[in-house]
Amino acid sequence: METNGVRLTAEQARSALADTEQVRASASALSATPWPTWFFIALTLYIAALPIAYGGMMADSDWLLPRPAWLGVMLAITAVYGALFVVAAKDWRNRTGVALRWDVLPKRATVPLAVGLPVLLLGSAFAFRFTGRPAWLIAASLIGAAVSVGFHLAFVRLHRKSA
């Protein structure tokens, strides 16, 4: 193989291939890197607020706020979260040159999260509706926030391992 009229040695060719493989591995690692800290905090707060907002919307009678106000709160926090997600994704793409990819994240962690978190967040609202005890909502908020922090730390570790 010649490059600009210079013939590469076998060692130089191996080194170039190793560099290419390292670039591929780095690109995969970058796409698995956790969100920026500000978005991680916003996501954690959003997850913590969801059970309370769901509970307020599903309460038998007005609980702390009228039902339409809970619906407004839910729509507002979801809109803010959606806007922040778009900003974080665009910032990520600008910084790394790689679009966000979910396929590089370990399925053994993301599938239980995708199934378990909605069950936790919505299940607590149903439990609150049937029992009238807000402890279900508070527990779901705390567990949801802990899960968010745990996944963030796991993704930080995943990135450090593959980088």
Side-chain angles (χ1 to χ4, degrees):
M1 175 174 167
E2 290 189 25
T3 307
N4 296 333
V6 178
R7 189 155 176 84
L8 294 177
T9 66
E11 185 59 38
Q12 289 171 324
R14 277 192 218 83
S15 176
L17 286 173
D19 289 345
T20 302
E21 186 55 39
Q22 186 177 8
V23 168
R24 269 193 211 124
S26 293
S28 288
L30 282 175
S31 59
T33 304
W35 296 103
T37 303
W38 65 265
F39 185 74
F40 153 66
I41 292 168
L43 176 61
T44 301
L45 292 174
Y46 177 69
I47 290 172
L50 279 177
I52 295 167
Y54 283 140
M57 287 185 347
M58 292 181 65
D60 282 334
S61 60
D62 290 346
W63 176 70
L64 300 178
L65 295 172
R67 273 189 173 173
W70 282 115
L71 179 60
V73 166
M74 185 63 156
L75 292 174
I77 64 174
T78 301
V80 168
Y81 168 74
L84 291 175
F85 180 85
V86 168
V87 170
K90 185 177 179 184
D91 178 57
W92 174 257
R93 192 172 40 254
N94 290 341
R95 277 190 304 129
T96 65
V98 178
L100 290 172
R101 292 179 42 206
W102 301 106
D103 62 325
V104 297
L105 300 175
K107 301 284 186 269
R108 67 183 184 280
T110 54
V111 170
L113 176 70
V115 172
L117 200 56
V119 168
L120 172 72
L121 300 178
L122 291 172
S124 65
F126 281 108
F128 170 66
R129 180 180 173 98
F130 294 125
T131 65
R133 303 175 100 179
W136 290 103
L137 304 176
I138 294 166
S141 290
L142 294 173
I143 292 168
V147 166
S148 178
V149 170
F151 267 76
H152 178 73
L153 295 176
F155 293 143
V156 166
R157 196 177 80 224
L158 173 69
H159 173 66
R160 286 190 181 139
K161 255 183 166 177
S162 61

